[in-house]
Amino acid sequence: MTIATPDIARLAASPDEVLARLFTSMNVDGVYGRTGAYEDVVDGLGRYIGTLRPKGAEVFRFPPVVSRALIEKSGYLKSFPHLLGCVCALGADPKRVTDAVARYEAGGTWADSAEPSELVLAPAACYPIYPIAAKRGAISDTLLFDVASDCFRREPSKDIDRLQSFRMREFVAIGAPVEISVFRDQWMARAPEIAGDLGLNHSIDAASDPFFGREGQMVGRFQVANALKFEMLIPVRSPESATACMSFNCHKDHFGLTWGMNTVDGEPAHTACVAFGVDRLAVALFARHGVEVGGWPKAVRGKLGV
Ligand code: 5GP
Ligand code: ZN
């Protein structure tokens, strides 16, 4: 179900131009060094998103790694095992280390000797917040959080809008079903305001997450049928093909049941998150307004403070 249709507008910079001017190759698909000009816009987006922060939201910034146990318990392996990255290391065992390095120096590989650690790379910014919130006891008023982290998803691609390593900021709400559903819907209703502030054409569409396998496709259809996920789509690579730059997600009682989070009436808490794909928004801004920030509309520069 499409709620709004983008008016197709000219993009001022091609993907190749954005890539050449704002990123620098690190010889891995979807992993880039970023220029100062690009990071200034990322910082500007950070400030702008800060102005939207729900009143009373508590701020947490998480590292790019989270415990494997947390991601396992969250059900990630059932849903997105193909996207997950695990931190492996040689560790401190002298024999293992010496053998592995010797093998590498003889022209072989060292990595086979590395063992999975207790860490995985964060696939989204919001996972760590649920166990933190669960420790607070029964929820009377909706809990609100502003969280962010570098995220990793194993999706190598040459497209500038599909990175393996990217930044995500999220507003998360935890509470009673009605409040959570209202939270998600109110944020979706603000999408035109956000896109307008940034001078970006947008549409909102129902979406599903890229669940793994056949069974996963069914879960995806359930997600669409139950209107659990919507995305704000913005043209990035061409005026016709739009990219999801924000998502509006309702998880129902999934995290409430997983972490034993209840409302004061004893029912499992519901959760929702509104995710800003910070790198996709930055790339969308450069694609739409050009690679020179000096040439961007004054109003957009004002909103970002760039
Ligand atoms: P979701 O959890 O809804 O898949 O992701 C939240 C947001 O993160 C997306 O709306 C998008 O803006 C951003 N995101 C997801 N995957 C990628 C990716 O491969 N590259 C970049 N740059 N951003 C992504
Ligand atoms: Zn989330």
Side-chain angles (χ1 to χ4, degrees):
M1 173 192 54
T2 298
I3 294 175
T5 318
D7 57 338
I8 305 294
R10 195 180 65 85
L11 290 176
S14 69
D16 284 351
E17 251 179 297
V18 173
L19 200 58
R21 294 286 301 275
L22 300 153
F23 287 165
T24 187
S25 167
M26 292 178 66
N27 298 318
V28 181
D29 288 343
V31 179
Y32 298 100
R34 303 120 175 176
T35 63
Y38 181 84
E39 284 306 298
D40 287 345
V41 168
V42 166
D43 290 347
L45 277 168
R47 285 188 295 272
Y48 168 70
I49 296 169
T51 66
L52 306 176
R53 179 187 298 144
K55 205 162 167 272
E58 225 178 299
V59 178
F60 285 100
R61 297 292 172 257
F62 296 119
V65 289
V66 294
S67 87
R68 178 147 58 101
L70 181 147
I71 289 300
E72 288 166 358
K73 183 159 170 171
S74 301
Y76 200 83
L77 281 165
K78 227 174 143 193
S79 302
F80 315 108
H82 54 308
L83 301 180
L84 190 58
C86 181
V87 177
C88 297
L90 289 176
D93 173 3
K95 184 162 169 26
R96 179 199 297 273
V97 173
T98 322
D99 288 356
V101 174
R103 216 173 321 118
Y104 168 73
E105 283 175 348
T109 168
W110 64 272
D112 297 353
S113 303
E115 288 208 322
S117 73
E118 77 282 25
L119 295 171
V120 294
L121 303 176
C126 68
Y127 284 103
I129 203 62
Y130 306 111
I132 291 170
K135 286 201 192 120
R136 307 235 172 126
I139 298 163
S140 49
D141 297 325
T142 304
L143 299 177
L144 295 166
F145 297 97
D146 167 347
V147 298
S149 76
D150 278 56
C151 294
F152 175 89
R153 291 181 188 174
R154 183 69 179 148
E155 294 183 285
S157 161
K158 297 207 181 301
D159 293 331
I160 49 162
D161 55 351
R162 166 120 5 250
L163 305 180
Q164 294 200 70
S165 179
F166 56 93
R167 274 113 4 131
M168 197 189 293
R169 175 101 168 249
E170 299 190 57
F171 295 147
V172 182
I174 306 175
V178 174
E179 276 84 358
I180 295 310
S181 157
V182 168
F183 170 89
R184 202 281 302 264
D185 291 351
Q186 282 179 342
W187 276 97
M188 262 171 61
R190 290 189 72 177
E193 171 200 336
I194 296 168
D197 285 348
L198 302 178
L200 299 170
N201 294 292
H202 83 289
S203 62
I204 300 282
D205 211 347
S208 61
D209 286 308
F211 292 98
F212 180 72
R214 259 173 183 278
E215 219 179 292
Q217 285 176 6
M218 275 163 54
V219 182
R221 282 196 288 274
F222 176 86
Q223 220 181 359
V224 173
N226 289 277
L228 298 183
K229 185 179 189 80
F230 288 87
E231 289 177 330
M232 178 160 84
L233 304 165
I234 296 172
V236 173
R237 283 186 283 119
S238 79
E240 298 81 15
S241 82
T243 300
C245 292
M246 283 187 71
S247 67
F248 308 88
N249 308 286
C250 186
H251 319 115
K252 298 272 187 192
D253 59 6
H254 173 74
F255 291 111
L257 289 170
T258 300
W259 295 106
M261 275 188 298
N262 289 332
T263 57
V264 278
D265 58 11
E267 294 297 315
H270 280 210
T271 64
C273 67
V274 175
F276 298 81
V278 176
D279 283 291
R280 280 192 177 165
L281 286 167
V283 167
L285 283 161
F286 282 105
R288 175 71 182 94
H289 301 307
V291 290
E292 294 289 350
V293 173
W296 289 12
K298 269 212 175 71
V300 174
R301 293 181 64 185
K303 287 285 176 193
L304 298 172
V306 295

